[in-house]
Every structure is written in structure tokens, then in C-alpha cells.
Amino acid sequence: MMPGRMKAWLREHLPENTWEHRLVADGDGRYLEFDTTDVVRLARLGIEVDALGPHLVAVVWDEAAPIEVGGYVVVDNLAMGRPAMGGIRMSRTVDPETVHDLARGMTLKNAAAHLAFGGGKAGIVADERLGPDEHAEVVRRFARLLRRYRGFYLPGPDVGTNDADMKTIAVENGLDGAVSKPADMGGNRIDQLGAAAGGVVIALEALLGEMPRLRVLPQFADLEIPAVEDLTVLIQGFGAVGGHVARILRERLPGAKVTGISDVTGCLRDDAGLPVEELFRRWQARGPVARAWFVETAGASGEESPVTYSSAPDDLLRESAFCLVPAAPVANYLDTDAASRPSVTVDRMGHWRVVVEGANTYSPDVARRAARARMERAVYRQRGVLIATDYLVNSGGVVFAAQEQLLPTPADLRVPEALLGDRAAVDRWLADHAAEFQALAERRRNAGAAARDEVIRGNMRELVDLLVSDPDMLPAEAAERISVRRIAARERDRTAADLMEPIPTLPLASTVRAAATCLVVAQSPILAVVTSDGQLAGVVTEWDVTRATARGSPDDQPVEEIMTRAVVSVAPGDGILEMIRKLEHHGISAMPVVEGRTVRGRITADLLARRSLLRLLQSAID
């Protein structure tokens, strides 16, 4: 059944005729699907259509489930490639706008990471405190809903889901049906390895070398880069990302000190550095650590402790350190306006020189973008604090996850289709091939580590390049330019062969009536007339047939008498700009894709609008 909270929200925002005319039933699954042409309906869901997307927004639920199973799937953009890749968030409050914002972040993150995957995200409307069995059942049934989008959307873990959930999805949909699977499936288990956290630490490491170049900007004229032993870091959100940031920081930058952490139970502070290893082990075993650790150790000794504790987690952001790592699932950690209820307002923030965003903070919402710009003007431009935007630095997770596709599962290791859905049978298959899967997991881990290091170091270098070249540019603007530039470059490389659709064909001996019937049945604005050996002889458009009818031509008139022989066409390797140029120059709306004299497909103005990012590409060129 559809989750009650989700149903109430959707009934309030979507009119009855949408439910009547757009509802699709597929087995037990129910789907309401919208694309970029559904501007009004998407606006009702809090989603604004722009140059990047969204490509698909789907409301999904299991009608036959005895428990509540439902949520949202957003494929934002596919310019970088198919499928779209992004995690599944589980929360009782998740809504389409939130999932879309996260999907847009994935579009930019995958582009920033040079990954040939689009951006997508899913959200399960469910209480995060479900018991283990019920949680697993919800994920299993949601996986079945995702089958409709196999090859189109590739899920991974996000807040509320984990690597074990990805195994559940892979059991249902196949090993290539999810990423960040456990090692026994050959997966790169990004949660267990702290892949995203590793990227955050690499970004900080790289910035220590890149930031001196910022001294040409007035707000950084007094910038001093500390030696590693003097490097201090605050971590907001000591959890799946923040906990691993602390651990990996000690490994990669020994001597650096984590002087403060926070979680939902409060915050800890010690200028001499907190016992990171102990806190990490306790978090792995018990979850949130701040209050429990202080009560059981520092507060239980009866002696004065150098560690201070506050029951208010946000107090951490009033403290000072060289680097702040926001890693809590809080997008609005800093703002100039207290009315937006940030973790802290700019006037009360501590003194930092760099913020490396481990949490997802990006939103395409106009109001939130404006608020972000106001914050960065105050923090970056006036206070001299560099902000490394989330999708440039925390992309380590997607880089690792992508290896499960870039190094595909060998055919002989893929779980047979007949076993899918049977957990015991799949486990037996995995056990029978344990050594091969372990070796595959290790190859993918090594590939992920190498790619993550290269990508994130390059992003930090490019970020500083842009900021130094334009003193008026803000960090968020620079980050978006990095990703959009890559998306536009990939879009520019797409060809007619990538975009074309099938074109109907008719023999040269056909009649005008046959041509009219063919156009109607195929719902195509154009057809190709071919010779007996399949070579292109001409094209007929809807306008050609209409004009012949208006002139009173008989139905049995030969089609070659009305067809256009001097055909405007494109080759399979022609790019989008060449296609646009030909359509506009000749004043036509459709043309065939021709290789030699053989017809391969068709390109139409409508097709380019649906399958390419014309506005983005044109603006990038302008």
C-alpha cells in the first residue's frame, strides 16, 4: 500500500485528473511518471524544470504490499551517460523536491568526477526507525518497483540505507542492479570503506597545496597554511562520512588534530585533539558517541577533563579551527539569516580558513541558491574562508561505486535470472564463487582509490584556478561551472547515432495514399522512400502529403512524384550543433540520418528538445 503520509501529501498537490489519466499499473507496482514537458505538474511537486532537467520524476508504490512501500525516483539528467546513478534515501519526510535536489547534486557530482553516468536519486517514504526485518522487506519490495527503471537508474546507498540494502536490491534485480554492494558480491561497499570520506580528506590534503595561490585575492592576503602537526579540524556529524573522515585523516595526515566533533547527542571539544580511534570504534559498535563517551570516560573520572561537552550539537560551529567539515545530513549548516534555521548564523560562526563539505548541500531551488550566494559573499569574500562545494569533494563514494560498472561483473559470475529474488539461492551462488568475487572486489577497490585521488585533486586545482582568475566569482559558482562545463562538453560530443529514432520507410513504387497511412501509423513527421536495394531515393513529409491532397491528387499517385529528391540529411557521426544548423538553415523540422545511401534513422527538432540539452549547450557556446 502507498504510505499514508505520502498519499496525503500527493493528494494535496496533484489534481484528480492526474491520478485518472497518468496512473500506470505494472503488476503490483503503481507509477505516476512526469518528464520535462510536465512543467505545471512538476511545479505542483515543488520541482522547477530548467536547462538540465529533470528527465523523469516518478511516484511509485506497491499496491499489494501488506505494509507501506512507496517513494520517488528522479532521473535528473543523462547527458554524461546512462544509467543515472545515485543513492536511495529512506525517511518518513522525504518528498519529490528533496529527491530532485539530491538528484541534481548527483548530476553535478558525477560530472565533476568525470563519470559517464547521469544523475539520479530515489527516496523511500518510511520511518528510519523500522525494525531490521521490516526495513529489509520495505527495501526488497521497493527494489521490485525499481525493476521498471533497470538500465535507466542505478541505485546506491544514502541516508537511511546501506551496503546491505544494496545486496537486497541486487538479489532482486541482479548484480548490475545496484552499486556499493558488499565484497561477497564483488562490490565496493562505499560505506564500509569510507569512500566519500576519503575524498573529503584528499580534498583537504590537496587544498593545503593549492590555497597559497589565493593570496592574490585581498581576503586571503594574510592566509597562513599550517604545518600538518598544527592542522586542526572540526567535524559536524560524526557518522557514516564524518567518522571515516576522522579515521582517514589520521592515516593520511598523521599529526593533524580533530579538535571537535558533533552528532545528534551533542558535541565534544578538545584543543589538544580528541581520541579519534577510540571514538570511531565506539561509533561503529554503538552509533552516536558524543554524550555517551563523555559520560563514561571524561565525565566519569571525577577529575577535571580537557574535553568539553555540550548537549547542543550546533555549538560546534561556534568553535574555531583551520578546517570545518560539515558531514551531518543538514544542507543548511550556515546562513546569514536566522529565519532559515541554519546550524549557525555567519555572525556567530567560529574562525575557519576552509570548509570542505562532506554533506550534500546543493539545491537548484532559486531561493536556496540566492541564500547560498549571500552566505558565500559574507564567508568567502568578506571573511576569507574558502568553501569547497560538496559535489567536488565528496564524490569519492560515486567514484568507488562506478567501478562496479566500469569493471563489469564477468558473465560467468552473474547470478542466473532464475535465481533472482531467492535470497538463499543467491547466497549459495555467491558462496560457490567466493574467491572470484573477492578478487573482483579488490580490483574494483584499487581502481576506485586511484580514480578518486586523481579526480578530487584535479577538482581542487580547477576550483582555485577559477577563483584566482575571477575575483568576483563565488565558490559555488565556480563549482557549478566545473560540472556544467563537463556536461556541456559531453553533450557536444553526442552524435546523431546517439540520439536518432527509427524512421519509417516505403518502397519507391508506393502510392501517396500508402505514404499517408505510413506517416499516421508511425506517428512520424517524415518517412524515407527507398529503392529495391534499400538505398535512399527521397523523403516524404506530412506537408508533402497535405499539399498533394489540397491539389486534388489521386490516392494512387506514385509517391515519387511528391517526394523530395534533394534530401537534407545528417551522417551518424554528426554532432548536435551540426544537426541544429541544418534544421535551422533549411527551415525544416525533421531529416533522415544517412550513412552512404543507407537510411539509419531520423532526427527531429522535437527529438533534439527531448533528448539533448540545447539551452545548456547553446549557452555554453555563447
Side-chain angles (χ1 to χ4, degrees), residues 523-608:
Q523 296 184 322
S524 173
I526 190 172
L527 63 80
V529 181
V530 295
T531 61
S532 58
D533 57 354
Q535 302 296 294
L536 179 66
V539 294
V540 173
T541 66
E542 294 172 318
W543 172 244
D544 293 327
V545 173
T546 301
R547 184 171 53 185
T549 302
R551 291 175 175 173
S553 301
D555 288 347
D556 59 354
Q557 181 181 11
V559 72
E560 64 177 317
E561 294 182 5
I562 69 165
M563 71 181 187
T564 299
R565 297 178 183 273
V567 178
V568 177
S569 65
V570 289
D574 284 348
I576 291 177
L577 293 180
E578 176 64 11
M579 294 181 243
I580 297 170
R581 187 190 69 77
K582 286 189 175 182
L583 289 173
E584 291 182 345
H585 179 74
H586 294 282
I588 56 179
S589 62
M591 57 188 170
V593 179
V594 180
E595 186 172 20
R597 293 295 296 173
T598 302
V599 182
R600 299 299 186 193
R602 69 176 183 187
I603 289 293
T604 68
D606 177 64
L607 178 66
L608 288 176

Side-chain angles (χ1 to χ4, degrees), residues 131-152:
D133 292 343
E134 191 172 5
H135 176 103
E137 181 65 7
V138 168
V139 171
R140 186 177 70 84
R141 288 181 175 271
F142 195 79
R144 293 178 177 180
L145 294 171
L146 292 181
R147 286 178 186 169
R148 182 176 176 87
Y149 307 110
R150 279 198 291 185
F152 193 59

Side-chain angles (χ1 to χ4, degrees), residues 296-307:
E296 296 173 20
T297 56
S301 65
E303 301 178 2
E304 186 174 349
S305 171
V307 180

